[in-house]
């Protein structure tokens, strides 16, 4: 991870290969870590992302897809979250950097007619998942019979999205670049599109899963009871996420649909196999 970050920070992204289509997923991720190490997020997510955009501009890239985040919805109360909602109140620096990415991306799309798509991922999980995210932390602790911290006393929910659905989404989008919205109304703007070739899409399963139900599914598949320590809400976190993925389906004909039962089963199978 650190080598990839240094690469985009230094703008030394690719001198040997000059792609015409770019999928940019490198970033410093995670809400809680951004509170402890803000400079990491500023350097990777702002400076690094700017370097990616400059690379795409200088090499006449025909289509850029980049990772945004559902954390952008921050303090919004209206659910499900829609790309048409205004997102002006991030609750963490991580979310603020991702909102900044969307704004900077739009400026490049406008200035250089560059087709750009931002993807707001909703709690992606599955085999090879990030070890700092709840699904991995929970599974690892349950297997080792260590207590897990359950924040907001378990009164939380997430729109868990299986990794294969995310991959399928990007495959569908790579050959379907953003185009200008000819009906864009500047007096009543739609934040998900633009007069420029710029689009924002939610990538979520459109199902709100209670955190305790997710843990229960892990227990069932691992055959081990979790030891839960209930704690208050963490700073910068949100109580619930819930995706409206209709725009993605309209654009690609596909929307994430893998059930939590299937996804957790596959995740646990991978975990047991990889860690023996």
């Amino acid at each position: 991870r650190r080598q990839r970050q240094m690469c985009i920070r230094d703008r030394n992204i690719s001198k040997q290969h000059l792609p015409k289509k770019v999928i940019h997923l490198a970033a410093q991720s995670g809400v809680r870590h951004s509170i402890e190490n803000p400079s990491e997020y500023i350097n990777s997510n702002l400076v690094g992302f700017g370097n990616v955009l400059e690379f795409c501009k200088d090499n006449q890239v025909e289509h850029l897809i980049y990772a945004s985040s559902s954390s952008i919805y921050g303090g919004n109360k209206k659910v499900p979250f829609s790309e048409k909602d205004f997102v002006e109140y991030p609750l963490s620096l991580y979310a603020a950097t991702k909102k900044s990415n969307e704004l900077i991306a739009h400026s490049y799309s406008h200035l250089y007619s560059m087709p750009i798509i931002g993807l707001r991922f909703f709690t992606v999980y599955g085999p090879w998942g990030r070890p700092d995210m709840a699904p991995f932390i929970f599974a690892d602790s349950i297997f080792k019979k260590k207590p897990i911290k359950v924040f907001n006393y378990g009164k939380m929910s997430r729109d868990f999205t299986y990794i294969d659905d995310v991959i399928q989404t990007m495959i569908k989008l790579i050959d379907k670049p953003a185009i200008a919205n000819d009906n864009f109304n500047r007096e009543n703007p739609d934040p998900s599109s633009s007069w420029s070739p710029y689009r924002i899409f939610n990538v979520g399963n459109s199902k709100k899963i209670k955190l305790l139900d997710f843990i229960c599914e892990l227990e069932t598949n691992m055959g081990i009871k979790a030891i839960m320590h209930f704690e208050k809400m963490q700073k910068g976190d949100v109580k619930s996420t819930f995706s409206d993925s209709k725009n993605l389906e309209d654009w690609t004909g596909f929307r994430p649909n893998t059930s939590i039962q299937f996804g957790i089963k596959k995740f646990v199978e991978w975990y047991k196999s990889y860690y023996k």
Side-chain angles (χ1 to χ4, degrees):
R1 180 184 296 178
R2 184 168 299 277
Q3 288 178 339
R4 290 200 302 272
Q5 290 174 352
M6 289 304 294
C7 179
I8 62 174
R9 286 176 185 174
D10 294 341
R11 203 176 171 183
N12 182 27
I13 296 173
S14 177
K15 291 185 177 179
Q16 290 183 314
H17 307 288
L18 300 176
K20 289 303 179 184
K21 299 177 182 180
V22 173
I23 298 177
H24 171 55
L25 304 178
Q28 183 66 57
S29 55
V31 169
R32 292 166 197 150
H33 188 60
S34 71
I35 297 172
E36 301 166 357
N37 296 279
S39 62
E40 292 278 333
Y41 290 75
I42 292 168
N43 288 330
S44 293
N45 297 1
L46 298 182
V47 176
F49 185 65
N51 289 340
V52 171
L53 288 168
E54 278 292 295
F55 170 84
C56 292
K57 179 200 74 175
D58 293 344
N59 293 284
Q60 291 81 52
V61 166
E62 297 169 358
H63 186 199
L64 168 64
I65 299 173
Y66 70 93
S68 186
S69 170
S70 61
S71 295
I72 277 181
Y73 290 103
N76 287 21
K77 296 297 182 183
K78 172 184 159 292
V79 291
F81 296 148
S82 168
E83 304 95 329
K84 298 179 185 296
D85 300 335
F86 285 91
V87 286
E88 306 303 320
Y89 303 99
L91 299 183
S92 67
L93 176 64
Y94 169 64
T97 62
K98 287 302 184 179
K99 170 64 175 175
S100 299
N101 286 171
E102 293 184 359
L103 295 173
I104 297 168
H106 181 269
S107 69
Y108 271 74
S109 177
H110 166 69
L111 290 169
Y112 307 110
S113 299
M114 186 191 305
I116 301 179
I117 289 177
L119 301 180
R120 292 176 179 170
F121 294 125
F122 281 72
T123 316
V124 180
Y125 75 102
W128 301 98
R130 276 171 37 207
D132 64 313
M133 289 190 69
F136 187 96
I137 292 172
F138 290 166
D140 197 55
S141 296
I142 291 171
F143 182 76
K144 295 175 180 176
K145 299 184 179 179
K146 294 181 178 180
I148 59 177
K149 294 180 180 180
V150 183
F151 294 107
N152 201 34
Y153 308 103
K155 298 175 182 177
M156 300 181 74
S157 60
R158 290 288 182 270
D159 194 338
F160 290 98
T161 309
Y162 189 59
I163 183 61
D164 287 11
D165 286 337
V166 172
I167 294 169
Q168 185 67 18
T169 295
M170 290 189 289
I171 290 172
K172 294 281 187 180
L173 285 170
I174 195 66
D175 292 320
K176 196 170 177 60
I179 58 174
N181 180 358
D182 293 333
N183 298 316
F184 190 83
N185 183 349
R186 299 195 190 204
E187 295 181 357
N188 185 27
D190 171 5
S192 70
S193 66
S194 171
W195 62 87
S196 302
Y198 166 89
R199 298 280 166 150
I200 296 291
F201 293 111
N202 285 343
V203 183
N205 208 37
S206 301
K207 292 181 178 64
K208 189 164 61 172
I209 306 295
K210 293 179 180 178
L211 185 59
L212 293 179
D213 290 343
F214 186 88
I215 294 171
C216 181
E217 198 67 36
L218 280 172
E219 291 175 322
T220 299
N221 280 271
M222 300 189 84
I224 305 171
K225 194 72 174 173
I227 304 168
M228 291 184 277
H229 286 184
F230 293 94
E231 301 190 7
K232 64 182 181 180
M233 182 74 107
Q234 282 250 310
K235 186 182 294 185
D237 213 343
V238 297
K239 183 177 179 180
S240 179
T241 65
F242 184 16
S243 169
D244 178 349
S245 296
K246 185 177 185 303
N247 276 358
L248 178 67
E249 184 174 23
D250 290 344
W251 190 258
T252 65
F254 173 79
R255 69 191 300 166
N257 54 26
T258 300
S259 70
I260 201 75
Q261 291 78 18
F262 179 87
I264 291 180
K265 180 177 181 291
K266 290 298 182 182
F267 169 65
V268 171
E269 286 175 355
W270 165 81
Y271 177 90
K272 288 181 176 180
S273 173
Y274 186 79
Y275 290 99
K276 309 301 180 186

